[in-house]
Amino acid sequence: MFPVARAAQSLVARSIQHTAVRGAHRKHEPTFHDKYGTMVLLGGAAMFSAVWGYVLTQLNVEWGFSPVGRITPTEWRE
Protein backbone atom coordinates (compact mmCIF):
# COMPACT_ATOMS: atom_id res chain seq x y z
CA MET A 1 0.00 0.00 0.00
CA PHE A 2 2.87 2.38 0.69
CA PRO A 3 4.24 2.40 -2.88
CA VAL A 4 0.73 3.11 -4.22
CA ALA A 5 0.32 6.07 -1.85
CA ARG A 6 3.76 7.40 -2.76
CA ALA A 7 2.95 7.13 -6.47
CA ALA A 8 -0.34 8.96 -5.96
CA GLN A 9 1.41 11.70 -4.00
CA SER A 10 4.02 12.04 -6.72
CA LEU A 11 1.30 12.27 -9.36
CA VAL A 12 -0.54 14.98 -7.42
CA ALA A 13 2.66 16.96 -6.86
CA ARG A 14 3.55 16.71 -10.54
CA SER A 15 0.10 17.96 -11.61
CA ILE A 16 0.34 20.90 -9.20
CA GLN A 17 3.77 21.80 -10.56
CA HIS A 18 2.49 21.51 -14.11
CA THR A 19 -0.42 23.83 -13.34
CA ALA A 20 1.88 26.36 -11.67
CA VAL A 21 4.30 26.39 -14.60
CA ARG A 22 1.48 26.72 -17.11
CA GLY A 23 0.08 29.73 -15.21
CA ALA A 24 3.48 31.38 -14.88
CA HIS A 25 4.05 31.45 -18.65
CA ARG A 26 0.75 33.08 -19.41
CA LYS A 27 0.52 36.87 -19.57
CA HIS A 28 -1.79 38.33 -17.00
CA GLU A 29 -4.38 40.51 -18.66
CA PRO A 30 -6.14 42.90 -16.29
CA THR A 31 -9.81 42.13 -15.84
CA PHE A 32 -12.60 44.61 -15.31
CA HIS A 33 -12.14 44.34 -11.55
CA ASP A 34 -8.40 44.92 -11.83
CA LYS A 35 -8.97 48.05 -13.89
CA TYR A 36 -12.06 49.61 -12.33
CA GLY A 37 -12.79 47.73 -9.10
CA THR A 38 -11.62 50.40 -6.67
CA MET A 39 -13.26 53.23 -8.58
CA VAL A 40 -16.58 51.38 -8.78
CA LEU A 41 -16.44 50.69 -5.04
CA LEU A 42 -15.64 54.32 -4.20
CA GLY A 43 -18.31 55.59 -6.60
CA GLY A 44 -20.91 53.33 -5.02
CA ALA A 45 -19.92 54.45 -1.53
CA ALA A 46 -20.15 58.12 -2.59
CA MET A 47 -23.57 57.59 -4.18
CA PHE A 48 -24.83 55.70 -1.13
CA SER A 49 -23.63 58.48 1.18
CA ALA A 50 -25.10 61.23 -1.01
CA VAL A 51 -28.53 59.60 -1.24
CA TRP A 52 -28.79 58.84 2.46
CA GLY A 53 -27.39 62.26 3.33
CA TYR A 54 -30.19 63.82 1.30
CA VAL A 55 -32.83 61.56 2.78
CA LEU A 56 -31.76 62.21 6.37
CA THR A 57 -31.39 65.99 6.02
CA GLN A 58 -33.86 67.24 3.40
CA LEU A 59 -36.96 65.14 3.68
CA ASN A 60 -39.36 65.97 6.47
CA VAL A 61 -39.33 62.66 8.24
CA GLU A 62 -40.63 62.57 11.76
CA TRP A 63 -38.30 60.31 13.65
CA GLY A 64 -40.30 60.18 16.88
CA PHE A 65 -42.78 57.38 16.29
CA SER A 66 -44.42 57.63 19.71
CA PRO A 67 -48.01 58.91 19.60
CA VAL A 68 -47.83 60.25 23.18
CA GLY A 69 -48.91 63.88 23.19
CA ARG A 70 -50.07 63.86 19.58
CA ILE A 71 -53.28 61.89 19.89
CA THR A 72 -56.10 63.26 21.96
CA PRO A 73 -58.77 60.84 23.13
CA THR A 74 -62.31 61.37 21.85
CA GLU A 75 -65.37 61.36 24.04
CA TRP A 76 -67.41 58.18 24.34
CA ARG A 77 -70.73 58.09 22.62
CA GLU A 78 -73.44 56.66 24.79
Side-chain angles (χ1 to χ4, degrees):
M1 187 67 180
F2 181 74
V4 172
R6 188 170 57 194
Q9 183 183 12
S10 162
L11 198 82
V12 169
R14 203 174 309 135
S15 69
I16 291 172
Q17 287 173 349
H18 179 70
T19 303
V21 167
R22 184 176 25 169
H25 288 294
R26 200 178 82 198
K27 275 192 167 179
H28 176 69
E29 298 174 1
T31 63
F32 176 83
H33 297 288
D34 292 335
K35 289 182 183 178
Y36 309 111
T38 306
M39 292 307 296
V40 169
L41 180 66
L42 292 176
M47 189 68 177
F48 178 85
S49 300
V51 168
W52 277 107
Y54 174 79
V55 167
L56 294 175
T57 59
Q58 298 299 317
L59 295 181
N60 293 326
V61 178
E62 292 198 20
W63 296 105
F65 298 115
S66 174
V68 174
R70 278 191 251 150
I71 297 176
T72 56
T74 56
E75 296 294 327
W76 285 96
R77 293 184 196 173
E78 293 188 26

